Amino acid sequence: MASVGNGTEESSGGGEEENFEDAFENIPVASKMDLKCALEECSMALNLFLNNKFSEALELLRPWSKDSMYHALGYSTILVMQAAMTFEQQDIQMGISTMKEALQTCQRFRKRNTVVESLSNLVSKQSADQLSEEEMHAEICYAECLLQKAALTFVQDENMINFIKGGLKIRTSYQIYKECHQVLQMTQGNKSKTETYYQFEGGVKLGIGAFNLMLSLLPGRILRLLEFIGFSGNRELGLCQLREGASGSSLRAILCTFTLLVYHTYVSLILGTGEANLQEADSLLEPYLHKFPNGSIILFYAARIDILKGNFEKAQLRFQECIAAQQEWKQIHHLCYWELMWCCTFQQNWLQAYRYADLLSKESRWSKAIYVFQKAAILCMLPEDDLERTGEDIVSLFRQVDGLKQRIAGKSIPTEKFAVRKARRYASSQPVKLILPALEMMYVWNGFAIVGKRADLTESLLVTIEKEETALQNETNHNEYYMDDVCMLQLLKGLCLKHLGRLMQAELCFSKVVQSEKQIKYDSYLVPFTLYELGLLYKQQDEREKAIRYIETAKNNYKEYSMESRLHFRIHAALDSLKVSPASTP
């Protein structure tokens, strides 16, 4: 244990924004560090971070990052976040090496086991009583570091050994959280609970909550395989643990909040049915908006919630505030550009949408293939005069996409693979133009579930789709993609009609796609995705059995099509909402 010293009591992290900044200017580097003092200093660093003082937060944590488990965890977490945002190999390498050091620091504080003793012995009643407070915290910090290092291992290199190493780290992290959860249950009756005990409790709730929630999203066949090696996922338990953690006052309350916000504002949209709990997202964010009114991460989530409510104009203003709030982490600007691009797309403000896609393709390293495809797709929507003024060559942009794709954990990214396949229509000397590619990509990201909140904009999109439909019907020479294009337009048209409440017409559009299955040559994804949409349409009309039948058909009868895994995630979420699955234990 690090030698005991006096904590800086005035800097417990509960004051207003200016107090954090004043306090930071006067912080001497501590000469001694105990658990209580470490937690207080990390709380200050967290407040600095949420106030956009990213470098200052790192500087506060750096001096003790090799001698205090919480300083090590905090310091390496910020560097891992930076690496995840920049995607620069140098930053990823720095994140991994710092996380290795953090694991070594945490390891020094963990309970020493003999060769015969396994980690699971910690959960026997006798061992639980023998665990010191510091050793309990060391387990949680070690598990958090392990999980983050595993995530970075996946993006660092694409070889199978790294993939297996990453998987084993995740499994070890999961086992530690489960064992800490049992320790927590055994000590729950103790009367003398200290502040550091509640901090440990917050760490357990974050880990158990996040693991259960994320595992519960996985389609059944993957989850059954993971259960075989000791994983299990219970969505309700996960949400409950995270809500309890978010409502507490521990250091990890904000991390529980962010995990819930990511789930409500992104995961449930992209990998779910599009039914986000915005009421909970609002109430989770509200106290942080008051406490950190200029915090860029907080402003970003506030703007994202506005988008999901259909308040695109308000969201755009908030994203601009977020961009203006700080200049140090430009990657937060890139997240804003992505969202602003979609806001403009929903409003069919194509020139402005192009400008954001252009910025992303030039400045961000996250997915060059998607950005360039998106830019070209948006340019396809512009009138000829506006297109000429941009000076861009659509054919040339589409031809770049294939060379820009990347691999993570040895696998191609599904949306990039989809973009590459679509862009192939421009590869030959006689390119065949894509039909409304920007709206097709909107569907890939479940954007119709968002724009559907606005009848005026949905109506405008319907006009655009029907105009293209008429033009296609009037063509005398049909190319080989003709039926694929006809079916894609029927799918998009059906989505607009569904959100406008014209359900019978929507059903007709979806049925046309399914009936044309044998005539589709390339876009085989259209039929399973349309069957899924038909299932959701019947669910909306309380035809439960019919809904399940169509969704099950999409699940069982089709394979090896674009974005198959994404649809299986959505199918799992839809079936989960239609019938109760058996709950599993943590």
Side-chain angles (χ1 to χ4, degrees):
M1 180 176 178
S3 55
V4 180
N6 296 322
T8 352
E9 288 175 15
E10 70 272 19
S11 54
S12 62
E16 293 302 317
E17 181 179 343
E18 58 273 14
N19 294 347
F20 300 139
E21 293 174 34
D22 294 344
F24 178 73
E25 285 164 15
N26 302 315
I27 302 166
V29 174
S31 58
K32 299 173 180 179
M33 189 65 63
D34 65 357
L35 189 58
K36 181 174 178 288
C37 188
L39 284 161
E40 285 176 354
E41 211 162 89
C42 286
S43 180
M44 285 185 64
L46 180 61
N47 285 322
L48 286 164
F49 183 85
L50 292 172
N51 269 312
N52 311 320
K53 308 283 181 189
F54 308 120
S55 298
E56 291 172 23
L58 277 171
E59 286 311 307
L60 177 56
L61 294 166
R62 194 197 308 270
W64 283 94
S65 63
K66 290 185 174 61
D67 298 293
S68 154
M69 64 180 109
Y70 272 101
H71 286 72
L73 173 63
Y75 184 70
S76 54
T77 298
I78 294 174
L79 290 177
V80 165
M81 278 183 75
Q82 200 167 5
M85 284 185 160
T86 64
F87 241 53
E88 294 280 355
Q89 200 55 42
Q90 187 183 336
D91 289 341
I92 291 169
Q93 211 47 60
M94 169 71 88
I96 287 172
S97 63
T98 314
M99 200 48 87
K100 268 184 192 168
E101 289 172 5
L103 281 165
Q104 287 164 7
T105 303
C106 295
Q107 182 63 42
R108 292 209 307 273
F109 294 95
R110 293 175 78 200
K111 186 175 175 67
R112 298 284 188 270
N113 291 326
T114 64
V115 177
V116 182
E117 288 174 308
S118 69
L119 184 61
S120 58
N121 287 339
L122 290 176
V123 303
S124 71
K125 184 75 182 86
Q126 185 186 3
S127 298
D129 288 343
Q130 288 171 1
L131 267 183
S132 73
E133 216 169 27
E134 196 167 55
E135 286 164 348
M136 285 162 71
H137 279 269
E139 291 301 318
I140 283 292
C141 291
Y142 189 83
E144 275 182 48
C145 287
L146 210 53
L147 196 56
Q148 292 182 50
K149 186 167 184 288
L152 270 192
T153 303
F154 287 141
V155 299
Q156 178 204 20
D157 200 354
E158 58 189 58
N159 68 54
M160 188 50 79
I161 292 168
N162 267 351
F163 189 70
I164 293 164
K165 275 183 183 173
L168 290 171
K169 285 184 182 78
I170 290 172
R171 188 172 182 272
T172 306
S173 174
Y174 179 68
Q175 292 298 341
I176 294 171
Y177 276 123
K178 279 174 74 176
E179 285 149 7
C180 286
H181 189 249
Q182 289 176 37
V183 168
L184 194 64
Q185 287 175 319
M186 287 173 192
T187 53
Q188 208 81 113
N190 293 5
K191 287 174 186 172
S192 55
K193 289 178 184 172
T194 61
E195 172 57 27
T196 49
Y197 176 86
Y198 289 116
Q199 293 284 356
F200 170 75
E201 186 179 47
V204 175
K205 287 186 187 302
L206 171 65
I208 291 291
F211 261 113
N212 272 279
L213 181 59
M214 295 311 165
L215 286 167
S216 75
L217 298 168
L218 296 171
R221 57 187 178 154
I222 301 171
L223 196 53
R224 281 192 293 277
L225 182 68
L226 290 174
E227 280 169 350
F228 181 72
I229 57 167
F231 286 100
S232 61
N234 178 333
R235 185 167 310 178
E236 285 315 308
L237 174 73
L239 288 169
C240 179
Q241 290 282 300
L242 288 167
R243 282 166 184 152
E244 285 176 16
S247 64
S249 56
S250 80
L251 197 59
R252 294 174 176 93
I254 183 71
L255 300 177
C256 290
T257 298
F258 282 162
T259 306
L260 284 167
L261 285 171
V262 168
Y263 173 70
H264 289 316
T265 63
Y266 281 100
V267 176
S268 60
L269 257 294
I270 297 165
L271 302 181
T273 56
E275 295 161 7
N277 186 343
L278 299 182
Q279 200 175 343
E280 180 171 24
D282 258 335
S283 61
L284 283 164
L285 197 62
E286 193 182 5
Y288 293 101
L289 265 172
H290 286 298
K291 197 173 179 183
F292 307 103
N294 297 313
S296 56
I297 295 170
I298 306 300
L299 285 169
F300 178 82
Y301 277 114
R304 174 66 183 171
I305 292 167
D306 282 330
I307 282 187
L308 298 183
K309 288 177 179 173
N311 299 337
F312 305 134
E313 297 79 8
K314 186 180 175 188
Q316 283 166 289
L317 292 172
R318 270 217 163 120
F319 281 125
Q320 296 299 349
E321 280 178 51
C322 178
I323 291 165
Q326 61 85 35
Q327 299 301 315
E328 191 178 339
W329 277 22
K330 290 280 188 186
Q331 292 73 35
I332 295 174
H333 295 186
H334 300 156
L335 294 174
C336 293
Y337 297 158
W338 175 259
E339 295 297 340
L340 284 162
M341 177 190 76
W342 285 114
C343 275
C344 296
T345 298
F346 297 149
Q347 296 163 314
Q348 296 196 72
N349 181 351
W350 300 116
L351 208 52
Q352 199 55 46
Y354 154 72
R355 288 185 184 120
Y356 288 120
D358 186 44
L359 278 169
L360 284 166
S361 69
K362 287 171 179 167
E363 291 183 18
S364 176
R365 288 178 55 90
W366 257 65
S367 174
K368 292 277 187 190
I370 290 293
Y371 298 146
V372 171
F373 182 88
Q374 201 73 38
K375 182 162 103 167
I378 289 165
L379 286 167
C380 288
M381 310 296 290
L382 282 175
E384 203 59 49
D385 291 352
D386 285 347
L387 176 59
E388 275 180 32
R389 277 198 288 274
T390 65
E392 298 278 10
D393 179 349
I394 290 176
V395 175
S396 167
L397 287 169
F398 277 124
R399 285 176 179 170
Q400 289 173 36
V401 175
D402 191 25
L404 295 169
K405 67 179 186 288
Q406 55 191 341
R407 295 169 80 81
I408 291 179
K411 295 277 185 184
S412 300
I413 300 163
T415 39
E416 286 196 352
K417 275 169 80 173
F418 178 76
V420 166
R421 279 179 190 153
K422 298 300 290 187
R424 279 186 193 139
R425 279 167 64 158
Y426 291 83
S428 72
S429 55
Q430 297 293 315
V432 182
K433 74 170 187 139
L434 286 166
I435 305 296
L436 304 185
L439 300 193
E440 189 176 11
M441 278 308 261
M442 189 201 291
Y443 176 62
V444 166
W445 295 99
N446 217 354
F448 282 87
I450 302 171
V451 78
K453 305 262 172 72
R454 287 277 295 272
D456 57 336
L457 299 177
T458 307
E459 200 73 64
S460 296
L461 286 167
L462 182 59
V463 168
T464 301
I465 294 163
E466 287 180 333
K467 190 178 164 187
E468 201 65 44
E469 185 185 20
T470 305
L472 202 58
Q473 284 166 356
N474 291 338
E475 278 183 10
T476 47
N477 295 325
H478 295 168
N479 61 52
E480 59 185 317
Y481 300 98
Y482 177 74
M483 276 313 293
D484 295 55
D485 290 341
V486 166
C487 290
M488 191 269 291
L489 288 176
Q490 288 301 311
L491 171 58
L492 301 187
K493 185 178 174 180
L495 290 161
C496 288
L497 291 165
K498 174 187 135 175
H499 289 294
L500 289 167
R502 292 150 68 178
L503 306 187
M504 274 183 69
Q505 288 172 277
E507 186 179 354
L508 277 172
C509 290
F510 293 150
S511 299
K512 278 181 193 171
V513 179
V514 177
Q515 288 157 11
S516 307
E517 180 176 352
K518 289 187 163 56
Q519 294 165 274
I520 294 170
K521 287 189 178 179
Y522 300 101
D523 291 330
S524 54
Y525 84 94
L526 287 167
V527 177
F529 271 85
T530 303
L531 284 164
Y532 163 77
E533 294 297 344
L534 264 169
L536 291 188
L537 191 70
Y538 294 132
K539 179 194 169 191
Q540 194 177 329
Q541 295 171 89
D542 294 322
E543 294 186 57
R544 187 174 168 277
E545 295 307 317
K546 208 171 178 183
I548 291 171
R549 191 167 74 249
Y550 273 85
I551 294 169
E552 290 278 12
T553 303
K555 177 185 170 183
N556 300 323
N557 293 11
Y558 299 87
K559 57 183 181 180
E560 292 174 13
Y561 53 88
S562 290
M563 298 169 304
E564 185 177 351
S565 58
R566 183 169 293 199
L567 182 59
H568 277 276
F569 273 102
R570 290 181 187 176
I571 284 170
H572 176 68
L575 291 174
D576 201 47
S577 69
L578 282 159
K579 56 187 178 187
V580 181
S581 304
S584 52
T585 53

